[in-house]
Amino acid sequence: MASAFRPQQARIPPALAIPIPLLTKAIGNLFCFIYRFKIGLCQLTVTPDKKRNIKHARKAIKEAAQKGAQLVVLPEIWNSPYSNDSFPVYAEDIDAGHDASPSTAMLAEVSGQLKITIVGGSIPERCGDKLYNTCCIFGTDGKLKAKHRKIHLFDIDIPGKLTFMESKTFTAGETPTIVDTDVGRIGIGICHDICFEELAMIYASRGAHLICYPGAFNMTSGPSHWELLQRSRAADNQLYVATCSPARDAGAGYIAWGHSTLVGPFGDVIATTEHDEDIIIAEIDYSILEQRRTRIPLAKQRRGDLYRLVDIRRLDAHCRL
């Protein structure tokens, strides 16, 4: 009966298997795969002083690494106040690097020095005459492995509570971002990207172990949606979800909710914090992924005869082969 439901056709192209993690450990002359590692979520206070923000982020990354984190995640817009007036002023030319992008130059330097993977939150990126809300991922060699430009811009108008139009300054990104690192295959989203289950489904179908969402939910959406969306994305796709928020500043024009969190593949909150500045250290165990998927085999129960998710970019690449 299950074959009549055509579960393999519920994902177009067909879903990829989860890859074996790249982490290895030498035991004598042999190497074994390591499925467990520590993640550090750095919930940072952001100020108008960009140099201070960069110095402070560097210190937090080093502290997380000293506590055993092999993957460190920073918040959304950690080098700049979160405002449309600030984004053009604090924007950096990431592709030019070095002096043109002191924030990413620091991330490259620290990741290489400490031999860790960094999901660098996000910063305002200037590219030509456009601005993007961009996350950079650096490998253990200090090199830029991937760059994710926020796909879904945060435009919201709740009368009497909050109005913010990110699209007034930022241009939307056009490409889902998934990257193979020394700590597994990671999908990247930024803040409002988490509201769109299709993106997470694409990452799961591409074999992600983990999705990282640097995000700055606010005092309106945070209490209702922040934890709910994280747990939903993790449970629906049976993978890990990590989020990292700025710390709350009650005097800021845009007040972040905080509550950076790691959620497991069963939708369980593994570690979280409140709204103050903090560094969360938690363990990720990829061996649990297969266990969860075996016990509740959602992939085998999908109804390809009734619905299908089409990964446009993967399909286009597949058709060109």
Side-chain angles (χ1 to χ4, degrees):
M1 180 62 72
S3 61
F5 296 155
R6 294 179 291 201
Q8 71 280 1
Q9 294 182 22
R11 298 290 181 267
I12 302 175
L16 301 175
I18 299 177
I20 296 174
L22 300 180
L23 263 69
T24 58
K25 181 179 181 180
I27 300 179
N29 294 324
L30 301 176
F31 286 88
C32 65
F33 294 109
I34 305 299
Y35 291 87
R36 294 183 180 182
F37 66 94
K38 289 183 179 180
I39 185 173
L41 308 176
C42 299
Q43 184 165 290
L44 304 176
T45 299
V46 180
T47 74
D49 186 339
K50 185 176 183 179
K51 289 184 178 180
R52 177 267 176 201
N53 294 336
I54 294 172
K55 182 178 180 180
H56 191 55
R58 178 196 293 268
K59 180 181 177 182
I61 293 168
K62 288 185 175 181
E63 182 178 339
Q66 288 170 358
K67 293 179 178 179
Q70 292 172 269
L71 169 63
V72 177
V73 186
L74 296 185
E76 179 184 24
I77 307 295
W78 58 268
N79 73 342
S80 161
Y82 195 93
S83 74
N84 281 318
D85 290 338
S86 297
F87 297 150
V89 177
Y90 288 74
E92 300 180 6
D93 186 341
I94 295 172
D95 292 339
H98 302 292
D99 293 342
S101 184
S103 300
T104 59
M106 179 275 290
L107 297 178
E109 179 185 348
V110 174
S111 61
Q113 285 179 348
L114 301 177
K115 306 302 180 187
I116 61 173
T117 300
I118 297 178
V119 174
S122 77
I123 65 170
E125 177 195 10
R126 186 180 302 280
C127 184
D129 61 353
K130 295 181 179 179
L131 297 181
Y132 297 93
N133 187 340
T134 301
C135 174
C136 293
I137 301 88
F138 289 90
T140 55
D141 58 359
K143 294 181 180 179
L144 179 66
K145 295 187 71 70
K147 186 168 68 172
H148 177 78
R149 290 169 171 167
K150 188 173 184 177
I151 294 173
H152 305 94
L153 297 181
F154 182 63
D155 287 358
I156 185 172
D157 185 10
I158 303 176
K161 291 188 176 182
L162 177 66
T163 298
F164 196 94
M165 297 292 170
E166 202 173 31
S167 61
K168 284 186 176 180
T169 50
F170 286 134
T171 297
E174 297 181 349
T175 306
T177 305
I178 191 162
V179 55
D180 286 318
T181 74
D182 285 1
V183 287
R185 183 169 292 176
I186 303 175
I188 305 293
I190 299 175
C191 199
H192 200 47
D193 284 339
I194 200 173
C195 295
F196 299 87
E197 59 187 295
E198 297 89 347
L199 182 61
M201 292 162 68
I202 283 174
Y203 289 151
S205 72
R206 293 186 184 186
H209 298 98
L210 162 71
I211 305 177
C212 290
Y213 293 100
F217 268 48
N218 53 71
M219 300 299 291
T220 300
S221 60
S224 300
H225 295 155
W226 181 238
E227 182 180 309
L228 172 67
L229 288 168
Q230 295 173 64
R231 297 182 69 184
S232 297
R233 299 295 86 84
D236 286 350
N237 296 289
Q238 298 178 308
L239 43 64
Y240 282 91
V241 166
T243 60
C244 191
S245 168
R248 189 180 305 171
D249 178 359
Y254 182 96
I255 304 175
W257 172 241
H259 296 264
S260 301
T261 302
L262 175 66
V263 178
F266 212 58
D268 49 318
V269 174
I270 295 173
T272 190
T273 189
E274 295 296 323
H275 60 265
D276 293 327
E277 187 166 88
D278 199 1
I279 298 175
I280 302 170
I281 304 295
E283 185 175 82
I284 287 178
D285 182 357
Y286 286 152
S287 68
I288 293 175
L289 296 179
E290 192 58 39
Q291 179 188 101
R292 296 299 191 204
R293 296 179 183 198
T294 299
R295 293 178 178 178
I296 306 178
L298 299 182
K300 296 179 180 179
Q301 298 168 345
R302 292 193 176 103
R303 295 291 301 269
D305 59 325
L306 298 179
Y307 51 77
R308 297 175 185 181
L309 173 75
V310 180
D311 184 339
I312 299 297
R313 291 304 176 102
R314 246 187 90 211
L315 183 63
D316 288 346
H318 186 267
C319 291
R320 287 196 294 269
L321 294 178

